[in-house]
């Protein structure tokens, strides 16, 4: 009886280990390629706030480059990037700004946010953005 119980426990442990090892065999659930990113950003400076602005841009995203960046971000460093399940979180530091963001991928879509604090001409500003992304297709040749 003890041998049967021991074999059952060992078998159950092996099944759990195998299941845990195959939970995310391909990594994050996102389709690599050209993505359209919509952002709605609101800014505040002291007691003043600006009306929200909406932008749509396209980026080529890969599993190695999960965080969309603009040309303005080229002088910024992404720090503390973490991937947990299908969620990517990061911190970014620039010369006059710092921020943090999070995106949760769902295959061909994602939702997330980005918060940034900056100082411009001695004034502190805060920008909060809601992000939504959708896969468009393969990246155009020559665009990375």
């Amino acid at each position: 009886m003890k041998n049967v119980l021991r074999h059952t426990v060992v078998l159950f442990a092996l099944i759990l280990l195998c299941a845990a090892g195959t939970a995310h065999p391909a990594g994050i659930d996102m389709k690599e390629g050209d993505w359209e990113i919509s952002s709605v950003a609101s800014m505040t400076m002291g007691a003043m706030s600006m009306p929200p602005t909406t932008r749509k841009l396209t980026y080529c995203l890969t599993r190695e480059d999960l965080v969309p960046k603009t040309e303005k971000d080229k002088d910024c460093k992404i720090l503390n990037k973490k991937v947990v399940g299908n969620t990517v979180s990061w911190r970014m530091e620039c010369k006059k700004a710092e921020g943090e963001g999070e995106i949760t991928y769902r295959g061909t879509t994602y939702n997330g946010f980005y918060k940034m604090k900056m100082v411009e001409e001695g004034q502190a500003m805060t920008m909060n953005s809601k992000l939504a992304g959708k896969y468009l297709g393969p990246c155009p040749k020559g665009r990375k």
Side-chain angles (χ1 to χ4, degrees), residues 71-103:
E71 185 64 27
K72 289 190 274 183
D73 298 332
K74 69 180 179 187
D75 294 328
C76 300
K77 294 180 187 174
I78 293 183
L79 309 170
N80 302 328
K81 183 170 80 171
K82 295 179 193 171
V83 178
V84 178
N86 290 319
T87 300
V88 180
S89 60
W90 70 93
R91 284 197 38 73
M92 183 184 283
E93 287 185 2
C94 307
K95 288 182 181 179
K96 296 181 180 181
E98 62 181 34
E100 62 186 26
E102 183 177 285
I103 293 172

Side-chain angles (χ1 to χ4, degrees), residues 43-50 118 120-126:
M43 291 185 70
T44 58
M45 187 167 70
M48 292 189 327
S49 62
M50 299 169 69
M118 61 200 96
E120 191 69 41
E121 297 179 13
Q123 295 289 321
M125 293 190 292
T126 303

Side-chain angles (χ1 to χ4, degrees), residues 47-82:
M48 292 189 327
S49 62
M50 299 169 69
T53 57
T54 303
R55 286 182 16 168
K56 284 188 181 183
L57 297 169
T58 57
Y59 299 91
C60 187
L61 297 177
T62 66
R63 284 181 174 76
E64 291 78 36
D65 194 14
L66 295 162
V67 179
K69 294 175 282 305
T70 65
E71 185 64 27
K72 289 190 274 183
D73 298 332
K74 69 180 179 187
D75 294 328
C76 300
K77 294 180 187 174
I78 293 183
L79 309 170
N80 302 328
K81 183 170 80 171
K82 295 179 193 171

Side-chain angles (χ1 to χ4, degrees), residues 109-127:
T109 63
Y110 79 59
N111 287 302
F113 69 88
Y114 185 69
K115 297 177 182 181
M116 183 167 238
K117 294 178 183 177
M118 61 200 96
V119 176
E120 191 69 41
E121 297 179 13
Q123 295 289 321
M125 293 190 292
T126 303
M127 180 178 72

Side-chain angles (χ1 to χ4, degrees), residues 8 27-28 34 39-40 46 49 51 60 62 67 79 83 85 95 104 122-123 131 133-134 144:
T8 304
I28 195 160
D34 204 27
S39 66
V40 179
S49 62
C60 187
T62 66
V67 179
L79 309 170
V83 178
K95 288 182 181 179
T104 300
Q123 295 289 321
L131 305 171
K134 69 177 181 179
K144 199 175 175 187

